[in-house]
Amino acid sequence: MLVLGIESSCDESAVALYDTKKGLLAHQLYSQVELHAEYGGVVPELASRDHIRKITPLIQGLLKEADLTLQQLDGIAYTAGPGLIGALMVGTCIGRSLALGLGIPAVAVHHMEGHLLAPMLETPQPQLPFIALLVSGGHTLLVEVKQIGEYKILGESLDDAAGEAFDKTAKMLGLGYPGGPAIAEKAKQGREGLYRFPRPMTNRPGVDFSFSGLKTFTLTTWQKSEQTEQDKADIALAFQTAVVDTLLIKCKRALKQTQCHNLVIAGGVGANTALREKLNTLDATVSFPRLEFCTDNGAMIAYAGSLRLAKGEHEEARITPKPRWPIADL
Ligand code: KG4
Ligand code: ZN
């Protein structure tokens, strides 16, 4: 079964072709980072307009790269939520309409299920059951996955998502957008041990997260400093280390609590090198997607959709993006 995946939930237009026998055939992505950079964050209306411009040429380029035609597709998978409503509408409308025109099934994919399954695109694939740490710009979740499609949320962020905390902190420090890579880069010049930031919610039981206090702590520390470039680097490092340590502690707890030995990391913050290094020290089998599949991409949507299409799932010819869509509803 040959599946076209379309992702347009935020600021990346991305498409991919996944074949259930041959695996991932091709994937292409256009990032809107430059478009939003001057505003210091994603401007939803600009995002949706740009998706309209980019998705169709991306699909054409993708088919050309794989030497395939639209008529050879067996199904289409598109991100239906969660995300920005206007941006979701673009992928949803194009995906659903193409499927209708071609007379093939289409399936609505949950963006976070896409992220969660991205490590399955790697060889060897992670073994089930596993615990997934989903750390993106909008979500921080610890999920127990016994079967694909069966997701039990063990813990989540009570306020800011980990990626959001990176983005807001970077903005405060004047490091620009997107904040995660900017903080990681600046932290390379930071001196270790100069500051000790709190590891939020680690001194009480449970695997929920909270990052907004850490963000405020960072701001106060920055305001009290002399605000030199070196201070900025030291504070970026202290912030990153605090987030990484917190995530490590909660992953350790989730593994212990479920007696599971497999940990899967997914979502944009999963691209953070310090996080990858720290989690690799855990006494568990830890799997990450390749860097380009940590952040938003079409491959994860094509893959997640192919599993659902192969089981005979498909959507009615209705367009129903869901800007809010709890993964537990799947
Ligand atoms: O998964 P993703 O591409 O989009 C969402 O679904 O939200 O994640 C984007 C988030 C942003 O907050 C970005 O700052 C963060 O992932 N991110 C990083 C890194 N690369 C991206 N955070 C920390 N370190 C990185 N290297
Ligand atoms: Zn994402």
Side-chain angles (χ1 to χ4, degrees):
M1 176 179 255
L2 178 65
V3 178
L4 166 68
I6 304 175
E7 157 62 35
S8 72
S9 65
C10 190
D11 57 347
E12 255 103 29
S13 309
V15 295
L17 286 167
Y18 186 85
D19 184 301
T20 46
K21 287 211 180 82
K22 298 180 196 152
L24 185 66
L25 301 183
H27 62 100
Q28 293 202 5
L29 178 141
Y30 176 82
S31 168
Q32 301 178 353
V33 162
E34 278 179 27
L35 176 70
H36 302 291
E38 66 173 293
Y39 305 98
V42 180
V43 182
E45 189 52 32
L46 291 183
S48 35
R49 286 169 194 225
D50 209 47
H51 285 308
I52 293 177
R53 282 190 285 267
K54 299 295 173 359
I55 297 264
T56 314
L58 274 175
I59 295 173
Q60 286 165 336
L62 178 81
L63 288 165
K64 196 164 171 207
E65 182 190 334
D67 201 16
L68 290 166
T69 62
L70 277 178
Q71 284 64 33
Q72 286 170 283
L73 295 176
D74 299 303
I76 296 183
Y78 54 86
T79 305
L84 303 170
I85 181 71
L88 290 167
M89 281 298 281
V90 179
T92 302
C93 291
I94 294 177
R96 195 66 203 77
S97 319
L98 259 184
L100 188 67
L102 294 167
I104 56 175
V107 72
V109 174
H110 192 291
H111 181 77
M112 297 313 290
E113 183 179 48
H115 274 304
L116 192 149
L117 297 179
M120 303 294 276
L121 289 161
E122 307 303 337
T123 324
Q125 284 188 327
Q127 294 294 304
L128 288 157
F130 57 70
I131 301 298
L133 171 70
L134 292 182
V135 269
S136 73
H139 295 81
T140 303
L141 295 173
L142 267 166
V143 186
E144 183 179 17
V145 184
K146 287 195 175 144
Q147 304 267 8
I148 288 177
E150 242 185 74
Y151 308 121
K152 182 176 168 196
I153 295 180
L154 303 174
E156 60 191 317
S157 178
L158 306 179
D159 40 58
D160 291 352
E164 191 180 356
F166 267 99
D167 292 337
K168 288 180 177 170
T169 303
K171 208 170 184 175
M172 280 165 5
L173 295 176
L175 287 171
Y177 151 90
I183 290 208
E185 191 52 38
K186 195 72 190 170
K188 285 185 189 162
Q189 283 116 46
R191 293 165 297 177
E192 242 164 276
L194 273 190
Y195 294 99
R196 166 112 191 145
F197 284 16
R199 276 61 173 153
M201 294 184 67
T202 53
N203 55 3
R204 58 176 117 155
V207 289
D208 282 331
F209 306 89
S210 163
F211 291 110
S212 95
L214 178 60
K215 188 184 64 192
T216 312
F217 190 94
T218 311
L219 177 63
T220 317
T221 310
W222 170 241
Q223 284 167 339
K224 281 194 209 146
S225 77
E226 288 176 14
Q227 304 198 349
T228 63
E229 282 306 304
Q230 188 59 54
D231 289 331
K232 204 181 269 190
D234 295 338
I235 290 171
L237 177 63
F239 168 81
Q240 175 176 268
T241 309
V243 174
V244 167
D245 276 355
T246 306
L247 294 174
L248 174 84
I249 293 166
K250 301 284 171 158
C251 284
K252 214 186 261 183
R253 274 188 203 168
L255 289 166
K256 192 169 173 208
Q257 163 186 332
T258 52
Q259 304 216 319
C260 188
H261 299 286
N262 301 317
L263 179 70
V264 157
I265 319 299
V269 182
N272 186 279
T273 313
L275 178 68
R276 293 169 90 98
E277 282 171 3
K278 258 297 171 40
L279 291 176
N280 268 327
T281 65
L282 280 170
D283 184 21
T285 308
V286 186
S287 317
F288 300 90
R290 71 195 80 163
L291 287 181
E292 61 185 328
F293 293 165
C294 282
T295 43
D296 292 349
N297 64 86
M300 66 184 195
I301 302 303
Y303 177 70
S306 76
L307 298 181
R308 291 188 174 268
L309 286 164
K311 282 198 296 184
E313 280 185 38
H314 59 88
E315 291 296 306
E316 297 297 311
R318 268 184 296 149
I319 289 169
T320 47
K322 299 172 183 155
R324 286 174 191 277
W325 189 8
I327 195 170
D329 287 358
L330 283 179

